[in-house]
Amino acid sequence: MKLSTIGMSANSNVLDNKININLNATIDPYQYKLGRSGIDSHDKTIYKEFRVNRYAWDAGKIGRVTSASLAFSTNLSKKGKEKDKETRDKIAKSNATQADKDYLLKHPDTYVDFSIPWNLRLSYNISYSRSTGNGTVTQSANFSGDVSLSEKWKVTYSAGYDFVNRAFTQTNLGLNRDLHCWQMSVNWVPFGKFQSYVFNIGIKSSLLKDLKLNRTRSFIDSQQGY
């Protein structure tokens, strides 16, 4: 099985750049066969799909879609919308790996821009995944953004709703401070199982972005009482 999975992605703006559409898919070029994997407690044979070393196109197929996602997003801030479009264009032309590009395109709020007073991003995401057996589908609506408290201080936030599990997604609150060449941020997950906080100070220069100081208290620490 020397051939890797085949990745596909597309990104575009519609309705006069009001809505961004991002599409990703991964195709496995190999065939899957149903075979015995064991016997259950009632002496019944258990069958499971196995990946075999034969190309899917030998059987007249293009392959198995193992993952796919479709996202619609917009920014209610005019300045923020223009900045997000500029950022997406830069990401598309960058030398980053496709995985990094996909992540950044899905998370335009990764970097805080202190020159924009506020952002409010709304998105709808639907994704599909399947390796063996039946596939699973997830759907969620999310919102995220930031508000300037002053020229150097910003509050960030994000939350959403999972339509499949009928539950709210992870809520994040953050506080950011522009320190000229440096940037400080505190991010907090106040609710749910994965309560945590992260304190970060990093140099803003892209050449020195790996020079940073972190203090993290994860949900594991909080469960253990540290």
Side-chain angles (χ1 to χ4, degrees), residues 4-225:
S4 67
T5 55
I6 301 168
M8 304 172 63
S9 64
N11 184 70
S12 183
N13 297 306
V14 297
L15 300 178
D16 194 25
N17 293 326
K18 289 183 174 62
I19 297 178
N20 176 256
I21 301 176
N22 190 56
L23 173 66
N24 294 277
T26 302
I27 298 176
D28 188 339
Y30 289 95
Q31 295 183 28
Y32 286 77
K33 298 292 185 182
L34 195 64
R36 295 180 58 183
S37 65
I39 298 176
D40 64 14
S41 58
H42 301 288
D43 293 329
K44 292 184 179 181
T45 302
I46 301 173
Y47 290 92
K48 184 180 178 180
E49 283 188 316
F50 292 92
R51 193 169 183 246
V52 295
N53 195 14
R54 296 175 188 169
Y55 292 124
W57 46 77
D58 292 337
K61 300 178 180 179
I62 63 170
R64 170 174 289 189
V65 177
T66 56
S67 66
S69 65
L70 176 64
F72 299 89
S73 61
T74 188
N75 193 331
L76 299 185
S77 167
K78 183 178 179 180
K79 290 184 178 180
K81 189 182 302 178
E82 294 172 353
K83 183 65 176 182
D84 286 351
K85 183 181 182 302
E86 179 184 334
T87 300
R88 284 191 294 265
D89 291 341
K90 289 181 179 180
I91 292 170
K93 296 175 182 177
S94 72
N95 295 323
T97 65
Q98 189 58 50
D100 288 340
K101 287 183 179 181
D102 292 343
Y103 177 83
L104 293 172
L105 287 170
K106 290 180 181 178
H107 301 84
D109 54 350
T110 303
Y111 300 101
V112 177
D113 190 338
F114 286 87
S115 66
I116 298 176
W118 64 276
N119 286 288
L120 176 55
R121 300 179 181 91
L122 306 176
S123 65
Y124 169 78
N125 305 274
I126 181 169
S127 61
Y128 168 85
S129 62
R130 180 188 183 190
S131 54
T132 59
N134 298 323
T136 59
V137 176
T138 61
Q139 296 184 68
S140 64
N142 304 280
F143 69 89
S144 64
D146 54 72
V147 178
S148 294
L149 299 179
S150 67
E151 184 180 353
K152 301 294 185 179
W153 286 97
K154 260 189 183 290
V155 172
T156 60
Y157 54 87
S158 65
Y161 186 79
D162 185 333
F163 293 103
V164 175
N165 295 315
R166 297 181 180 179
F168 288 100
T169 60
Q170 182 171 290
T171 298
N172 291 272
L173 299 173
L175 183 63
N176 294 263
R177 167 71 178 180
D178 185 354
L179 301 174
H180 188 53
C181 295
W182 296 70
Q183 182 171 308
M184 180 195 74
S185 64
V186 179
N187 292 286
W188 178 37
V189 179
F191 313 116
K193 182 179 179 180
F194 301 102
Q195 296 182 38
S196 61
Y197 71 81
V198 177
F199 175 78
N200 172 278
I201 297 179
I203 291 178
K204 289 197 286 186
S205 169
S206 60
L207 296 176
L208 301 175
K209 64 183 179 180
D210 292 331
L211 178 59
K212 54 189 176 182
L213 171 67
N214 287 309
R215 166 69 174 106
T216 302
R217 186 175 191 272
S218 71
F219 68 96
I220 297 177
D221 296 334
S222 62
Q223 289 179 337
Q224 293 177 341

